[in-house]
Each structure stands twice: as C-alpha cells, then as structure tokens.
C-alpha cells in the first residue's frame, strides 16, 4: 500500500474516554477501519474500506478515499476534527 497523504488529516475519536487517532493516509485509514473500528459496519463502512484499499493501490484518488472515510466517520459519530 502506498503512502499518499490526505490533503488534510482526519481525526477520529477511538473510545469513550475521548482518545483520538489521526489518519493521514489511505493506508492508515484502512488499518484503522480494519483494526480499530467499533461502530456498525454499514454500507458506508464497506465503501470507505474499499476506497482506502483502492487508493493505496492506485485505483482511486486519495481524495476519494478521504471523502469516504469522512462519510463513515460522520455516520458513526466519531469525527473529531473536521477539516473538509
């Protein structure tokens, strides 16, 4: 997977204590979605996972992956610092 950076990072809340995690690349977002995701695995979740995978492999733009991650983070109510 590549290291293309999001133009603006995405910060998400990872637990009830208010701990946050910053996602800077599609690869980081993909790993977060697979390993740390505690919300519903909805259609937006699956779309974000696919978009991050595709962006990491060069099949989609980094911007498309970022938009998909923002959408699922908003849906789950874990978006902490929105820089859209």
């Amino acid at each position: 997977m590549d290291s293309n950076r999001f133009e603006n990072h995405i910060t998400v809340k990872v637990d009830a204590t208010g701990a946050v995690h910053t996602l800077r690349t599609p690869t980081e977002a993909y790993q977060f979605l697979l390993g740390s995701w505690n919300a519903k695995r909805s259609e937006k979740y699956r779309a974000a996972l696919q978009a991050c995978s595709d962006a990491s492999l060069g099949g989609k733009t980094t911007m498309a992956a970022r938009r998909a991650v923002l959408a699922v983070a908003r849906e789950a109510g874990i978006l902490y610092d929105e820089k859209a």
Side-chain angles (χ1 to χ4, degrees):
M1 294 189 170
D2 73 12
S3 63
N4 289 337
R5 291 192 164 289
F6 292 140
E7 186 174 317
N8 293 304
H9 66 268
I10 301 168
T11 304
V12 293
K13 294 177 267 184
V14 292
D15 59 34
T17 67
V20 297
H21 187 77
T22 301
L23 308 172
R24 292 178 178 88
T25 67
T27 300
E28 287 178 4
Y30 182 84
Q31 291 168 344
F32 172 78
L33 290 167
L34 277 182
S36 300
W37 189 255
N38 293 320
K40 180 181 174 186
R41 295 190 175 202
S42 66
E43 195 62 37
K44 286 183 182 178
Y45 168 85
R46 288 185 288 281
L49 195 63
Q50 187 65 54
C52 289
S53 176
D54 290 348
S56 295
L57 297 171
K60 274 196 177 181
T61 66
T62 300
M63 177 81 75
R66 183 176 184 280
R67 280 193 302 265
V69 173
L70 283 172
V72 73
R74 279 189 200 110
E75 176 183 73
I78 65 167
L79 190 58
Y80 179 76
D81 181 20
E82 185 170 355
K83 293 184 178 180

